[in-house]
């Protein structure tokens, strides 16, 4: 079954155009002006961002090798404050033609990115959108509403439209808000009760601690939605340590290869996931490079769909050599 949707095809087509545009053009290549593209991303604080760093560094090597007049500068930050400082340093020391940014948090980075934009810099935002979308020239992300809604539809069907569940949120960002909205809107149409919903910051250890609190507080939980596969691993560890057998389903999202292995094996508690590939940062960098090479304007919003990953189609989403 072909699970690539129209939106995914749009992204694939745009990336293909960008790749074609940055293929070396011989003598014509030398005539193009030098271009500096800064890439600002969170450090590898968990599995998904580890994948982001990996794919950003791969894009840096490939683009600079193929197109010597383009300088790609990859900068990582361990917090929103550090990312703001990094942007200030980059702007002060570099004449930036473009900024590709995956914001650590949406609200704290919107103002600093707007200041960079004021210098005439092309802005490409990935994954965690800014609170003011008008700042960005290009936006590349997964469909977070669908990540939440598709998971909720499946869970509601499996629970027969009733039961008690707990939810773990990520970091306060636009994408977390979207995932929660997609999930909550579907659940609101059922008799399923959300007992508790708190932040665990897309962190396995924090999810483990929060899930321990949930387990101590609620004697009966039918299912858990962890919003993200890193958090899901912490949830599963806490549930297993507590020996709780009332929890029928523990679900995450993002398509971590370790979780897809569970899906492939037909795990009863975690039989599905949803894709949210960290390689989207690489797509955005290629598309941004295409903006400055070969007269290929790259503007607009490109969303990857979030179909359910099931035992029947899991092989299509499983990449054993990937860091995530």
């Amino acid at each position: 079954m072909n699970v690539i949707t129209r939106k995914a095809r749009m992204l694939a087509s745009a990336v293909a155009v960008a790749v074609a545009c940055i293929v070396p053009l011989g003598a014509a290549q030398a005539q193009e002006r030098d271009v500096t593209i800064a890439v600002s991303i969170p450090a590898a604080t968990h599995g998904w961002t580890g994948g982001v760093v990996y794919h950003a560094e791969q894009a840096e090597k490939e683009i600079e090798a193929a197109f010597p007049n383009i300088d790609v500068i990859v900068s990582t930050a361990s917090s929103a404050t550090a990312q703001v400082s990094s942007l200030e340093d980059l702007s002060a020391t570099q004449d930036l033609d473009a900024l590709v940014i995956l914001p650590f948090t949406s609200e704290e980075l919107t103002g600093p990115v707007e200041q960079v934009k004021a210098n005439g810099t092309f802005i490409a935002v990935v994954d965690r959108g800014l609170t003011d979308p008008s700042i960005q020239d290009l936006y590349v992300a997964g469909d977070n509403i669908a990540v939440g809604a598709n998971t909720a539809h499946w869970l509601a069907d499996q629970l027969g439209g009733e039961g008690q569940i707990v939810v773990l949120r990520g970091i306060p960002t636009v994408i977390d808000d979207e995932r929660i909205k997609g999930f909550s809107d579907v659940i609101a149409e059922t008799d399923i009760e959300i007992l508790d919903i708190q932040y665990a910051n897309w962190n396995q250890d924090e999810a483990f601690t929060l899930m321990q609190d949930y387990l101590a507080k609620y004697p009966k939980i039918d299912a858990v939605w962890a919003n993200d596969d890193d958090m899901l691993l912490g949830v599963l560890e806490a549930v297993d340590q507590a020996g709780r057998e009332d929890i029928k389903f523990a679900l995450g999202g993002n398509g971590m290869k370790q979780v897809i292995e569970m899906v492939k094996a037909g795990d009863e508690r975690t039989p599905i996931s949803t894709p949210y590939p960290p390689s989207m940062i690489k797509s955005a960098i290629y598309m941004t490079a295409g903006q400055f090479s070969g007269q290929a304007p790259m503007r607009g919003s490109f969303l990857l769909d979030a179909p359910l990953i099931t035992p029947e189609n899991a092989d299509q989403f499983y990449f054993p050599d990937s860091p995530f």
Side-chain angles (χ1 to χ4, degrees), residues 137-158:
D137 298 291
L138 175 68
Y139 180 59
V140 178
D143 189 340
N144 286 286
I145 293 286
V147 168
N150 290 347
T151 303
H153 279 300
W154 184 91
L155 183 59
D157 287 343
Q158 297 300 311

Side-chain angles (χ1 to χ4, degrees), residues 4 7 33 36-37 41 122 145 150 158 195 201 255 263 288 294 309:
I4 301 177
K7 286 181 285 188
R33 70 178 181 87
T36 300
I37 300 173
I41 54 180
F122 179 89
I145 293 286
N150 290 347
Q158 297 300 311
L195 296 171
N201 298 310
V263 174
T288 300
I309 301 174

Side-chain angles (χ1 to χ4, degrees), residues 12-13 31 219 228 243 313:
S13 298
Q31 299 175 8
D228 165 89
N313 65 12

Side-chain angles (χ1 to χ4, degrees), residues 66-115:
F67 221 72
N69 73 303
I70 296 180
D71 182 22
V72 179
I73 303 170
V74 175
S75 173
T76 63
S78 59
S79 68
T81 301
Q83 192 172 30
V84 171
S85 297
S86 175
L87 284 183
E88 292 173 348
D89 292 342
L90 284 169
S91 297
T93 60
Q94 301 286 338
D95 184 13
L96 299 181
D97 295 283
L99 169 66
V100 180
I101 182 167
L102 197 163
F104 207 98
T105 60
S106 301
E107 185 172 353
E108 291 176 89
L109 271 297
T110 295
V113 173
E114 186 174 23
Q115 293 177 10

Side-chain angles (χ1 to χ4, degrees), residues 42-245:
T45 56
H46 60 285
W48 194 84
T49 51
V52 169
V53 173
Y54 170 82
H55 288 292
E57 291 175 346
Q58 291 295 110
E60 176 186 14
K61 295 175 184 177
E62 294 168 9
I63 289 173
E64 289 184 346
F67 221 72
N69 73 303
I70 296 180
D71 182 22
V72 179
I73 303 170
V74 175
S75 173
T76 63
S78 59
S79 68
T81 301
Q83 192 172 30
V84 171
S85 297
S86 175
L87 284 183
E88 292 173 348
D89 292 342
L90 284 169
S91 297
T93 60
Q94 301 286 338
D95 184 13
L96 299 181
D97 295 283
L99 169 66
V100 180
I101 182 167
L102 197 163
F104 207 98
T105 60
S106 301
E107 185 172 353
E108 291 176 89
L109 271 297
T110 295
V113 173
E114 186 174 23
Q115 293 177 10
V116 175
K117 170 85 168 180
N119 297 324
T121 303
F122 179 89
I123 303 296
V125 177
V126 183
D127 182 40
R128 306 171 190 174
L130 301 174
T131 56
D132 181 1
S134 68
I135 297 170
Q136 64 207 25
D137 298 291
L138 175 68
Y139 180 59
V140 178
D143 189 340
N144 286 286
I145 293 286
V147 168
N150 290 347
T151 303
H153 279 300
W154 184 91
L155 183 59
D157 287 343
Q158 297 300 311
L159 295 178
E162 59 184 17
Q164 297 175 313
I165 66 174
V166 294
V167 176
L168 288 80
R169 300 195 65 161
I171 291 172
T173 57
V174 170
I175 68 167
D176 182 75
D177 291 341
E178 290 175 345
R179 288 188 186 187
I180 295 301
K181 175 176 173 51
F183 186 86
S184 300
D185 285 354
V186 172
I187 296 299
E189 298 175 355
T190 72
D191 291 325
I192 296 172
E193 178 187 3
I194 298 179
L195 296 171
D196 215 328
I197 177 169
Q198 297 183 38
Y199 289 98
N201 298 310
W202 290 322
N203 181 279
Q204 183 175 340
D205 292 336
E206 291 186 46
F208 172 78
T209 300
L210 178 56
M211 192 63 209
Q212 284 185 316
D213 292 342
Y214 283 166
L215 292 169
K217 188 175 181 180
Y218 303 107
K220 182 178 183 298
I221 300 172
D222 292 299
V224 184
W225 183 47
N227 188 321
D228 165 89
D229 284 338
D230 279 292
M231 293 193 298
L232 174 62
L233 298 183
V235 166
L236 292 171
E237 183 181 0
V239 172
D240 288 341
Q241 283 193 13
R244 288 283 290 267
E245 297 182 357

